[in-house]
């Protein structure tokens, strides 16, 4: 279990001092926990013995053990394809059958990682036309953000996909309001400027932030109202986004079908204005 999960699972059982420590650790996760025990005590107005008792309550053998787990999480979150490659890994059946089996397992695990209540909350946020929705992802994961934006804007208005160039982000940040939604996709190896975008957008407008990430948690998750953490470890040279894509397709379908009459009329109007009327049906 990740350190963050342990903190969140115990949140209802903490004393006032422990809640203070928990908040400080989560606000700058995982880096706050890499301070010396004396520095962390000073920053949180607690004491080294209180911190020692706290990490023991979390299930660690002491502060050094707690830090070792955090350091391991950081290493895991920065693994590249070169680190992930496993020579002579076992293949069940032929290659394609084995790969599809791995993807199916990730999809099933993704469904289990999200509660029905959270799924419905985020669907409501993204489907609410009183809120503008802004989407962006990392170097590779932005493909998911673009996919979601292209489908979502056929269902509703006020959907904006942010460009990769951070010099243009202020234009979008100036439009954001507290009721709006900033939807971010960021998987390992995380894109640092997305965390800064989340921090500034939250401070500037109080925008509602939803982050789609993995179990090691993008730093952007520190500023999020909702976090989806989907499994990505395929056991191959590449992490797999198959679970994340199915989750997003389920969400888009839920939003579209919630008020189908309205959705149908918008898609009909959208299709009537397309420039390429000869587009294939599956281009959507």
């Amino acid at each position: 279990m990740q350190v963050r999960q342990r903190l969140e699972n115990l949140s209802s059982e903490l004393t006032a001092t422990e809640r203070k420590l928990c908040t400080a650790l989560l606000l700058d996760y995982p880096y706050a926990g890499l301070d010396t025990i004396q520095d962390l005590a000073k920053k949180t107005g607690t004491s080294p013995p209180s911190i020692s008792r706290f990490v023991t309550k979390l299930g660690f053998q002491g502060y050094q053990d707690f830090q070792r787990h955090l350091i391991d999480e950081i290493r895991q979150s920065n693994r590249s394809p070169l680190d992930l490659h496993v020579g002579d890994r076992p293949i069940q059946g032929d290659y394609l059958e084995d790969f599809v089996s791995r993807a199916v397992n990730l999809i099933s695990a993704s469904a289990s990682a999200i509660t029905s209540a959270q799924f419905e909350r985020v669907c409501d946020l993204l489907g609410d036309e009183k809120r503008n929705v802004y989407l962006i992802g990392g170097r590779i994961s932005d493909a998911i953000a673009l996919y979601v934006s292209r489908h979502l804007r056929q269902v509703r208005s006020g959907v904006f996909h942010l460009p990769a160039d951070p010099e243009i982000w202020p234009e979008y940040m100036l439009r954001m309001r507290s009721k709006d939604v900033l939807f971010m996709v960021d998987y390992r190896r995380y894109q640092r400027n997305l965390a800064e975008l989340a921090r500034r957008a939250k401070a500037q407008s109080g925008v509602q932030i939803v982050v789609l990430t993995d179990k090691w948690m993008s730093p952007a998750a520190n500023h999020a109202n909702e976090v989806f953490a989907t499994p990505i470890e395929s056991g191959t040279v590449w992490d797999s986004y198959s679970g994340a894509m199915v989750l997003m397709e389920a969400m888009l379908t839920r939003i579209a079908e919630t008020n189908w009459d309205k959705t149908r009329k918008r898609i009909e109007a959208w299709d009537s204005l397309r420039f390429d009327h000869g587009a294939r049906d599956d281009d959507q």
Side-chain angles (χ1 to χ4, degrees), residues 19-281:
R19 283 197 297 272
K20 189 185 298 185
L21 284 166
C22 184
T23 299
L25 290 168
L26 289 174
L27 280 175
D28 189 22
Y29 187 87
Y31 304 104
L34 299 181
D35 282 339
T36 66
I37 194 168
Q38 291 81 9
D39 285 344
L40 181 58
K42 185 176 180 181
K43 288 179 181 178
T44 56
T46 59
S47 67
S50 295
I51 296 172
S52 295
R53 289 191 294 271
F54 176 59
V55 297
T56 300
K57 189 172 184 176
L58 292 174
F60 299 105
Q61 312 239 329
Y63 195 66
Q64 287 187 336
D65 184 39
F66 167 74
Q67 290 190 317
R68 276 195 295 269
H69 277 75
L70 288 176
I71 291 168
D72 184 59
E73 285 184 24
I74 293 171
R75 285 175 179 154
Q76 291 292 327
S77 70
N78 285 303
R79 296 185 76 190
S80 75
L82 296 176
D83 301 314
L84 295 173
H85 178 257
V86 178
D88 299 322
R89 61 182 170 84
I91 304 293
Q92 302 297 320
D94 62 26
Y95 193 95
L96 179 59
E97 180 184 2
D98 178 76
F99 191 89
V100 170
S101 176
R102 293 169 185 267
V104 169
N105 289 337
L106 287 174
I107 291 168
S108 297
S110 294
S112 301
I114 309 301
T115 67
S116 296
Q118 186 183 32
F119 178 83
E120 295 296 341
R121 281 199 308 271
V122 177
C123 284
D124 289 343
L125 279 174
L126 297 180
D128 184 357
E129 291 200 56
K130 295 178 182 177
R131 306 173 186 270
N132 286 335
V133 178
Y134 301 87
L135 303 98
I136 190 171
R139 182 174 57 90
I140 301 296
S141 57
D142 192 48
I144 300 176
L146 181 60
Y147 179 87
V148 174
S149 70
R150 287 192 170 183
H151 281 72
L152 191 59
R153 63 168 55 107
Q154 290 186 60
V155 176
R156 50 153 298 175
S157 60
V159 177
F160 307 95
H161 179 251
L162 275 66
D165 184 359
E167 290 299 314
I168 304 175
W169 293 353
E171 177 188 345
Y172 292 87
M173 292 173 66
L174 289 170
R175 300 181 196 171
M176 294 178 187
R177 299 295 179 264
S178 60
K179 65 181 181 181
D180 293 341
V181 181
L182 175 58
F183 186 91
M184 312 184 83
V185 188
D186 194 26
Y187 286 93
R188 70 174 182 186
R189 297 170 278 174
Y190 310 118
Q191 191 163 316
R192 293 182 182 179
N193 58 5
L194 290 185
E196 182 63 10
L197 171 61
R199 186 190 70 78
R200 293 191 186 188
K202 193 79 171 181
Q204 188 263 338
S205 64
V207 66
Q208 304 295 298
I209 297 177
V210 179
V211 174
L212 178 62
T213 184
D214 50 47
K215 68 181 183 181
W216 299 282
M217 295 284 179
S218 161
N222 291 330
H223 311 284
N225 301 87
E226 299 281 355
V227 178
F228 287 145
T230 63
I232 57 173
E233 297 166 283
S234 68
T236 73
V237 66
W238 305 115
D239 285 331
S240 173
Y241 296 162
S242 54
M245 284 298 295
V246 169
L247 174 62
M248 291 299 98
E249 288 183 341
M251 191 166 292
L252 288 165
T253 304
R254 174 64 165 154
I255 294 167
E257 292 181 346
T258 295
N259 189 342
W260 175 243
D261 285 341
K262 189 173 183 180
T263 298
R264 176 179 53 78
K265 291 175 183 177
R266 181 169 174 86
I267 293 176
E268 287 173 349
W270 182 284
D271 285 349
S272 72
L273 295 171
R274 281 187 165 182
F275 287 85
D276 183 6
H277 290 286
R280 290 168 45 195
D281 289 342

